């Protein structure tokens, strides 16, 4: 198996406040990697430092053997990205956004197929801002898949999706994984992470507090269920205890 | 690369037309000003014994209204808006180069400007007896130079303004004085001498001098200083906007 993503000793702070500290990650081809943690644990900062939209203070990032700063154009021919915040023009339609995205890549996928696969092809002529939260989320996953990427980054992909839509999206992603796609995702939704992620890393205040498989995470914790184990690692549970 | 450019241009042009701002400010306003000047001055000569009419004297100035609207208002606002809406950030994680994104916007405002020029020419020739006294090629050359120069100001503002509020304040501070005091709407010749001196500082005033000289067929030597001003301005602003381009 090839290493697709390698992060070594990544650190980033904002005005003295440490957001990510000394993080090491390694993602193998055809696997799903989950970067987990509470809001503000440093997931988005990590993903942005990896993609080069933020500059890490120290550390080395390599994706598909390339440096995201120096080899940006070459690298992003093969990388799909879905950011947490919606970023599109005010009056743009679904089909226009897809066409432009398709035009950016040399080997783009057929976006109509993808829209169909995600069940939003009937919305092609609608304005993006008129879509429901779930439809918009699906659209941004479609945009991330248009380059026919070797690796795809999904930041909080299940936000705004209802249970049924989440299940559909997970199904599509695990099919794509079966075809060799490498997936890097962040989530604070433990639903399905357990079944899908080959490797997880749990962040707390910018530091990795667990790195390994879901099974190991449960075994190393005092709990039997992954969700409980996750809360224990990410320290979300402590507050609940205090309330009791 | 060409395909990216073509599809982005088509898409962004559609978005811009949906917005309607430029249709009003770059297409309608110049025509309205033309009508007003035409109705007030008709075919009167620019001054007693002048070989050209007042309207012919103003034609070059009117063609810069669209350049001004697109260059210092439309261009900086769209670029800074795309930055603050994180649209540029999304483009950063694709293979597209920032030059393509900027070029698409520049071409859109060029299209508006040229459309305005053509409409102004048709209306003034048809209804107000306008005819080009100088060489059409010299005029078009001057027009391109002025456009490049004024657009470069907008690219610089859009490229380096920290956020869209700042960009819109700077754009307004550039746009309204230039529109009113550079002779684009209010004729330079109708201004009192003191105001003319202030107007001379504005880059667009210099640009309009080139367009007047070329459209009226006046001696080209008088436009050397304005031409140097336009070229220097363009070089500085383009340089700054490319060196300091920010994705977010």
């Amino acid at each position: 198996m090839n290493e697709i993503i390698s992060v070594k000793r990544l650190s980033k702070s904002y005005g003295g406040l440490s957001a990510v500290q000394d993080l090491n990650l390694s993602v193998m081809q055809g696997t799903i990697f989950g970067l987990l943690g509470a809001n503000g644990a440093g997931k988005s900062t990590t993903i942005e430092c990896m993609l080069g939209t933020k500059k890490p203070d120290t550390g080395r990032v390599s994706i598909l053997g390339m440096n995201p700063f120096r080899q940006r154009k070459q690298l992003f021919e093969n990388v799909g990205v879905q950011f947490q915040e919606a970023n599109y023009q005010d009056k743009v339609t679904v089909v226009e956004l897809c066409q432009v995205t398709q035009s950016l890549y040399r080997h783009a996928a057929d976006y109509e197929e993808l829209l169909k696969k995600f069940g939003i092809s009937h919305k092609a002529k609608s304005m993006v801002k008129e879509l429901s939260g779930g439809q918009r989320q699906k659209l941004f996953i479609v945009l991330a898949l248009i380059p026919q990427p070797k690796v795809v980054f999904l930041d909080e992909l299940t936000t705004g999706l209802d249970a049924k839509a989440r299940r559909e999206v997970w199904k599509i992603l695990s099919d794509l994984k079966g075809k060799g796609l490498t997936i890097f995702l962040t989530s604070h939704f433990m639903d399905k992470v357990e079944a899908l992620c080959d490797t997880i890393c749990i962040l707390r205040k910018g530091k990795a507090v667990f790195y390994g498989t879901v099974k190991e995470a449960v075994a190393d914790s005092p709990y039997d269920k992954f969700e409980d184990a996750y809360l224990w690692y990410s320290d979300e549970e402590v507050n609940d205890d205090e309330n009791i | 690369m060409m395909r990216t450019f073509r599809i982005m241009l088509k898409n962004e042009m559609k978005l811009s037309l949906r917005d309607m701002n430029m249709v009003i400010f770059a297409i309608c306003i110049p025509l309205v000003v033309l009508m007003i000047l035409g109705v007030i001055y008709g075919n009167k000569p620019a001054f007693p014994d002048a070989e050209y009419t007042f309207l012919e004297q103003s034609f070059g100035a009117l063609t810069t209204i669209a350049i001004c609207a697109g260059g210092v208002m439309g261009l900086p606002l769209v670029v800074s808006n795309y930055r603050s809406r994180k649209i540029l950030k999304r483009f950063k994680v694709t293979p597209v180069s920032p030059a393509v994104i900027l070029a698409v916007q520049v071409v859109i405002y060029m299209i508006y400007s040229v459309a305005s020029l053509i409409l102004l020419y048709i209306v003034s020739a048809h209804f107000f007896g306008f005819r080009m006294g100088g060489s059409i090629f010299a005029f078009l050359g001057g027009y391109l130079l002025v456009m490049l120069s004024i657009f470069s100001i907008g690219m610089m503002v859009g490229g380096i303004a920290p956020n869209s509020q700042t960009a819109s304040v700077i754009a307004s501070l550039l746009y309204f004085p230039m529109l009113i005091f550079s002779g684009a709407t209010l004729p330079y010749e109708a201004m009192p001498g003191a105001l003319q001196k202030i107007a001379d500082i504005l880059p667009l005033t210099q640009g309009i001098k080139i367009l007047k000289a070329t459209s009226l067929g006046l001696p080209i030597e008088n436009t050397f200083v304005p031409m140097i001003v336009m070229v220097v301005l363009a070089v500085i602003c383009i340089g700054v906007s490319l060196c300091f381009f920010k994705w977010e």
Side-chain angles (χ1 to χ4, degrees):
Chain A
M1 274 208 295
N2 294 324
E3 190 182 46
I4 296 289
I5 301 171
S6 152
V7 175
K8 292 216 170 77
R9 311 210 58 176
L10 178 80
S11 292
K12 170 82 181 171
S13 58
Y14 299 111
L17 240 99
S18 173
V20 180
Q21 226 179 326
D22 211 11
L23 188 66
N24 294 293
L25 302 172
S26 168
V27 183
M28 293 295 163
Q29 188 182 356
T31 63
I32 300 184
F33 188 98
L35 186 64
L36 314 178
N39 282 328
K43 300 183 304 269
S44 287
T45 301
T46 304
I47 231 174
E48 292 210 24
C49 286
M50 290 168 74
L51 295 171
T53 53
K54 287 209 166 89
K55 202 159 173 43
D57 299 336
T58 55
R60 264 210 323 246
V61 174
S62 158
I63 304 170
L64 300 168
M66 284 179 263
N67 178 308
F69 286 97
R70 281 200 297 275
Q71 290 155 290
R72 185 189 141 249
K73 286 184 195 178
Q74 205 187 338
L75 173 63
F76 286 106
E77 282 287 348
N78 292 307
V79 176
V81 179
Q82 176 244 322
F83 280 126
Q84 201 175 334
E85 71 273 84
N87 26 30
Y88 50 89
Q89 294 91 326
D90 190 34
K91 289 180 179 155
V92 77
T93 66
V94 170
V95 77
E96 286 164 353
L97 202 52
C98 289
Q99 278 170 349
V100 168
T101 306
Q102 192 180 43
S103 78
L104 304 176
Y105 302 96
R106 257 177 271 161
H107 311 286
D110 178 1
Y111 64 85
E112 285 169 7
E113 294 263 307
L114 283 168
L115 290 177
K116 231 179 265 168
K117 208 162 165 184
F118 281 85
I120 48 172
S121 56
H122 61 290
K123 288 283 174 190
K125 295 247 172 351
S126 310
M127 295 233 179
V128 176
K129 65 176 172 192
E130 286 160 4
L131 300 183
S132 73
Q135 287 166 336
R136 196 153 47 222
Q137 194 74 3
K138 283 180 175 175
L139 171 64
F140 280 92
I141 299 170
V142 166
L143 295 181
L145 294 174
I146 283 180
Q148 307 218 40
K150 292 187 178 131
V151 51
V152 60
F153 288 82
L154 305 168
D155 196 4
E156 297 291 353
L157 89 151
T158 46
T159 311
L161 294 178
D162 58 26
K164 181 168 165 281
R166 273 209 295 281
R167 183 177 298 179
E168 289 162 12
V169 168
W170 282 124
K171 169 84 175 63
I172 295 168
L173 292 180
S174 61
D175 287 349
L176 288 167
K177 174 194 161 186
K179 288 178 188 152
L181 179 70
T182 307
I183 299 169
F184 186 99
L185 59 89
T186 74
S187 184
H188 63 263
F189 234 118
M190 288 316 109
D191 173 53
K192 294 278 177 176
V193 162
E194 193 174 355
L196 273 150
C197 289
D198 300 284
T199 315
I200 56 168
C201 173
I202 300 174
L203 287 183
R204 185 167 78 202
K205 290 178 185 154
K207 281 189 221 165
V209 289
F210 175 79
Y211 190 107
T213 64
V214 170
K215 228 183 234 168
E216 289 163 357
V218 176
D220 291 354
S221 79
Y223 298 96
D224 310 325
K225 277 203 202 137
F226 174 62
E227 190 144 13
D228 297 330
Y230 163 75
L231 292 173
W232 181 68
Y233 284 112
S234 66
D235 213 21
E236 282 185 26
E237 186 208 35
V238 175
N239 295 327
D240 294 345
D241 285 349
E242 282 167 358
N243 292 338
I244 302 163
Chain B
M1 179 91 160
M2 266 326 284
R3 192 175 56 104
T4 306
F5 180 81
R6 214 183 56 234
I7 291 173
M8 272 183 124
L9 180 63
K10 190 181 117 202
N11 194 48
E12 291 293 324
M13 193 75 220
K14 275 199 268 180
L15 291 174
S16 173
L17 287 173
R18 256 171 231 164
D19 186 54
M20 282 304 283
N21 273 335
M22 276 299 131
V23 177
I24 295 166
F25 288 104
I27 305 291
C28 298
I29 301 262
L31 285 176
V32 170
V33 178
L34 172 71
M35 304 280 195
I36 294 171
L37 291 182
V39 168
I40 295 176
Y41 296 101
N43 286 335
K44 281 184 204 139
F47 47 86
D49 301 329
E51 288 172 12
Y52 43 82
T53 66
F54 192 89
L55 195 92
E56 282 169 340
Q57 177 180 257
S58 299
F59 181 80
L62 294 179
T63 63
T64 63
I65 297 177
I67 294 182
C68 196
V72 300
M73 206 71 186
L75 201 51
L77 290 190
V78 78
V79 173
S80 65
N81 181 35
Y82 281 13
R83 185 180 303 107
S84 63
R85 292 184 76 116
K86 313 265 184 194
I87 294 165
L88 294 183
K89 178 178 159 187
R90 186 162 55 78
F91 281 129
K92 194 183 181 185
V93 293
T94 71
V96 75
S97 103
V100 173
I101 300 169
L102 288 181
V104 165
Q105 297 301 336
V106 168
V107 170
I108 284 177
Y109 294 106
M110 281 175 85
I111 293 172
Y112 280 118
S113 302
V114 172
S116 166
L117 171 66
I118 293 169
L119 283 171
L120 284 172
Y121 182 81
I122 292 172
V123 173
S124 56
H126 207 272
F127 295 102
F128 303 112
F130 170 80
R131 85 193 159 80
M132 181 81 67
S135 143
I136 183 101
F137 296 107
F139 175 78
L140 289 178
Y143 183 81
L144 274 179
L145 177 63
V146 174
M147 184 152 66
L148 179 77
S149 187
I150 301 298
F151 279 19
S152 73
I153 300 176
M155 283 222 292
M156 184 178 76
V157 173
I160 65 177
N163 54 52
S164 41
Q165 279 103 333
T166 315
S168 105
V169 170
I170 298 173
S172 304
L173 286 176
L174 289 170
Y175 176 69
F176 291 106
M178 277 216 252
L179 190 70
I180 298 164
F181 298 117
S182 67
T185 46
L186 186 67
Y188 183 78
E189 291 74 13
M191 292 179 193
L195 195 56
Q196 284 186 344
K197 288 217 170 62
I198 299 170
D200 279 336
I201 304 168
L202 297 168
L204 191 60
T205 314
Q206 302 301 324
I208 288 174
K209 285 183 179 172
I210 301 174
L211 297 180
K212 269 189 184 152
T214 51
S215 68
L216 295 172
L218 301 177
I220 201 91
E221 295 84 56
N222 298 344
T223 64
F224 282 158
V225 173
M227 275 202 248
I228 291 167
V229 171
M230 291 288 102
V231 171
V232 169
L233 191 69
V235 169
I236 293 174
C237 293
I238 293 173
V240 169
S241 56
L242 289 182
C243 288
F244 296 98
F245 182 82
K246 287 185 300 195
W247 291 95
E248 60 171 328

